[in-house]
């Protein structure tokens, strides 16, 4: 089953029909002929074995892509055009995000080439999905929960399928860490994507933030960088930090602390967000900020809040199959290579610096080309002809 962001209702209906078919089959009474206990036991074992075989789906492919964002789909487009006939696992709410990755949680994307008027994040990923399908990618809406890279061909597992692949591209991305407090979520009463974001570079230039009071939560290099970036657009940028010192590098601290448009709220945490009454609470109007030493809670009028508390790469499912750095990112910086020959990585899962849709797409292209060269190499060694 393939999924494009706009087609989620159709896929839910398909899933529902499958569920009811299974429920109907399991609920149907079984009438067995009269038999001895031994015969009955043998029949039950045979039925159980047949059922297990029916539930096991084994697929074979030259290239399996794990992921659903710009990196994964760019890899799929290049691989499909090279007639590698890739299988792509886009996941089902993997890491709490719909197929399409982090872009499905954003509104207007204004810095992706080719869209002079910007494009909605969901719509952009819908285009990517359709382009992958157009060239023949097989997209499966299932989440990979285990892999085996110890031998070739490699194996990829979901709850219902096993894929045997000659090569792999891991493009599962990284999730921006978010804080949970009243008003921070999507949905009713929440201001996520209505003033609250986790990417200043992606969203900071939006009209709702221009010449407004803004805030950044964090104390590392990312927080310093994002706060400094936001001074291009906001009138004042507050850095809210729970301690009395930053953990950022000295040079990054200096840049932030000497910027006249940046103010720091030390020993402070955000405990709530509320709406702007002038817009009938449609967008963020301010924050409730608590001083952790005195316990005092005060109002901070801002139109934008940016989380800059780090990212978590989606690599736990690898379970030690690839070398990772201390932050969980796939190693081999500057390349799409990994510690396993024939397994490649693309996008934010291997990029802790840029983390942009366009750079992810670029590494998706690189990974697909590397995979194609690898497959040609092993085909030549084995005396195969494509």
């Amino acid at each position: 089953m393939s999924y494009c962001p706009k087609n989620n209702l159709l896929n839910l209906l398909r899933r529902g029909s499958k569920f009811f078919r299974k429920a109907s089959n399991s609920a149907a009474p079984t009438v067995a002929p009269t038999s001895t206990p031994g015969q009955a036991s043998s029949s039950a074992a045979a039925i159980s074995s047949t059922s297990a075989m029916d539930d096991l789906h084994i697929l074979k492919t030259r290239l399996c892509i794990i992921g659903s964002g710009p990196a994964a789909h760019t890899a799929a487009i290049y691989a499909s055009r090279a007639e590698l006939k890739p299988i792509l696992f886009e996941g089902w709410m993997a890491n709490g995000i719909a197929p399409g990755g982090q872009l499905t949680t954003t509104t207007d994307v204004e810095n992706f080439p080719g869209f002079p008027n910007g494009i909605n994040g969901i719509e952009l990923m819908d285009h990517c999905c359709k382009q992958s399908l157009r060239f023949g990618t097989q997209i499966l809406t299932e989440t990979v929960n285990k892999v085996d890279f110890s031998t070739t061909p490699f194996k990829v597992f979901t709850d219902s399928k096993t894929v045997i692949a000659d090569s792999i591209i891991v493009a599962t991305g990284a999730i921006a860490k978010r804080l949970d407090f009243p008003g921070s979520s999507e949905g009713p009463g929440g201001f996520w994507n209505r003033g609250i974001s986790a990417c200043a570079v992606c969203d900071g230039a939006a009209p709702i933030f221009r010449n407004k009071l803004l805030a950044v939560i964090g104390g590392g290099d990312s927080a310093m960088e994002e706060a400094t970036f936001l001074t291009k657009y906001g009138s004042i940028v507050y850095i809210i930090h729970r301690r009395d010192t930053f953990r950022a590098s000295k040079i990054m601290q200096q840049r932030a602390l000497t910027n006249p448009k940046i103010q720091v709220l030390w020993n402070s945490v955000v405990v709530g967000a509320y709406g702007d009454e002038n817009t009938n609470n449609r967008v963020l109007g301010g924050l409730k900020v608590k001083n952790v030493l005195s316990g005092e809670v005060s109002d901070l009028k801002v139109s934008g809040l940016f989380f800059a508390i780090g990212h978590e790469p989606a690599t736990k499912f690898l379970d030690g199959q690839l070398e990772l750095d201390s932050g969980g990112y796939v190693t081999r910086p500057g390349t799409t290579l990994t510690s396993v020959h024939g397994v490649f990585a693309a996008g934010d899962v291997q990029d802790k610096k840029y983390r942009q849709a366009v750079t992810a797409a670029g590494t998706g292209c690189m990974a697909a080309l590397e995979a194609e060269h690898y497959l040609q190499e092993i085909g030549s060694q084995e005396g195969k002809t494509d």
Side-chain angles (χ1 to χ4, degrees):
M1 180 193 301
S2 65
Y3 171 97
C4 289
K6 291 183 179 178
N7 299 331
N8 56 342
L9 178 60
L10 177 59
N11 281 274
L12 285 172
L13 292 173
R14 288 173 177 169
R15 283 172 172 266
S17 65
K18 289 183 178 180
F19 171 81
F20 287 118
R21 284 200 299 272
K22 289 181 179 179
S24 175
N25 291 339
S26 62
T30 302
V31 180
T34 303
S35 61
T36 65
Q39 290 174 323
S41 176
S42 176
S43 298
I47 293 172
S48 175
S49 176
T50 302
S51 176
M53 290 299 293
D54 288 343
D55 289 339
L56 180 63
H57 300 280
I58 298 178
L59 303 174
K60 295 184 179 181
T61 182
R62 303 186 70 191
L63 174 62
C64 179
I65 301 169
I66 310 171
S68 65
H73 281 294
T74 302
I77 291 164
Y78 272 79
S80 298
R81 285 171 53 82
E83 299 186 353
L84 299 182
K85 298 179 174 59
I87 291 175
L88 183 150
F89 281 108
E90 63 179 0
W92 176 251
M93 295 307 294
N95 303 297
I97 295 180
Q102 290 192 76
L103 282 181
T104 63
T105 69
T106 66
T107 50
D108 290 336
V109 179
E110 298 182 325
N111 55 3
F112 199 91
F115 301 96
N117 297 318
I119 184 172
N120 180 275
I122 293 177
E123 187 178 1
L124 175 59
M125 292 318 304
D126 184 53
H127 288 329
C128 291
C129 180
K130 289 177 178 177
Q131 194 169 356
S132 295
L133 291 170
R134 175 194 169 196
F135 291 112
T137 301
Q138 182 179 356
I139 300 178
L140 302 176
T141 310
E142 297 184 34
T143 300
V144 173
N145 49 42
K146 187 172 65 171
V147 296
D148 182 0
F149 298 157
S150 61
T151 59
T152 55
F154 307 114
K155 298 180 181 64
V156 174
F157 304 91
T158 70
D159 288 338
S160 65
K161 291 182 178 62
T162 297
V163 169
I164 299 173
D166 295 323
S167 60
I168 303 286
I169 294 176
V170 178
T172 44
I175 310 302
K177 295 179 182 178
R178 292 160 56 175
L179 296 177
D180 184 19
F181 51 78
S184 66
S185 63
E186 301 95 335
F191 296 96
W192 180 255
N193 278 333
R194 295 192 295 136
I196 299 180
S197 169
C199 182
V201 175
C202 309
D203 303 326
I208 64 170
F209 300 131
R210 289 181 179 269
N211 301 312
K212 300 293 179 64
L213 300 174
L214 307 175
V216 173
I217 297 178
D221 281 353
S222 293
M224 304 301 110
E225 185 175 0
E226 300 225 337
T228 302
F229 175 82
L230 288 169
T231 59
K232 299 177 182 179
Y233 309 105
S235 57
I236 293 292
V237 179
Y238 299 99
I239 299 178
I240 303 172
H241 188 47
R242 58 184 175 175
R243 299 188 177 92
D244 59 1
T245 57
F246 289 136
R247 66 179 185 278
S249 61
K250 296 298 182 183
I251 189 170
M252 295 300 293
Q253 289 190 47
Q254 183 181 13
R255 288 176 184 172
L257 294 174
T258 57
N259 191 312
K261 296 179 73 174
I262 292 178
Q263 298 181 21
V264 182
L265 302 181
W266 301 105
N267 300 308
S268 298
V269 294
V270 176
V271 295
Y274 55 87
D276 181 357
E277 294 180 354
N278 295 325
T279 64
N280 292 322
N281 298 319
R282 289 195 300 270
V283 297
L284 181 69
L287 306 171
K288 295 289 185 180
V289 180
K290 178 181 178 180
N291 184 288
V292 297
L293 299 181
S294 67
E296 179 184 357
V297 177
S298 59
D299 276 340
L300 182 66
K301 298 289 186 181
V302 295
S303 298
L305 173 65
F306 296 83
F307 296 132
I309 54 176
H311 288 70
E312 182 177 355
T315 53
K316 290 181 180 178
F317 75 99
L318 295 173
D319 195 27
Q321 297 280 321
L322 295 179
E323 286 183 11
L324 308 176
D325 68 11
S326 59
Y329 289 87
V330 178
T331 54
R332 304 296 192 274
T335 77
T336 61
L337 304 178
T338 71
S339 57
V340 176
H341 194 44
V343 178
F344 308 90
D348 289 5
V349 77
Q350 53 88 58
D351 172 21
K352 63 172 68 176
K353 182 176 181 180
Y354 301 106
R355 294 193 294 261
Q356 299 299 302
V358 68
T359 55
T363 57
C365 165
M366 293 164 59
L369 295 176
E370 292 281 8
E372 183 182 3
H373 295 159
Y374 167 78
L375 292 169
Q376 291 172 348
E377 175 188 324
I378 63 172
S380 175
Q381 290 174 353
E382 296 173 4
K384 296 179 180 177
T385 56
D386 294 331

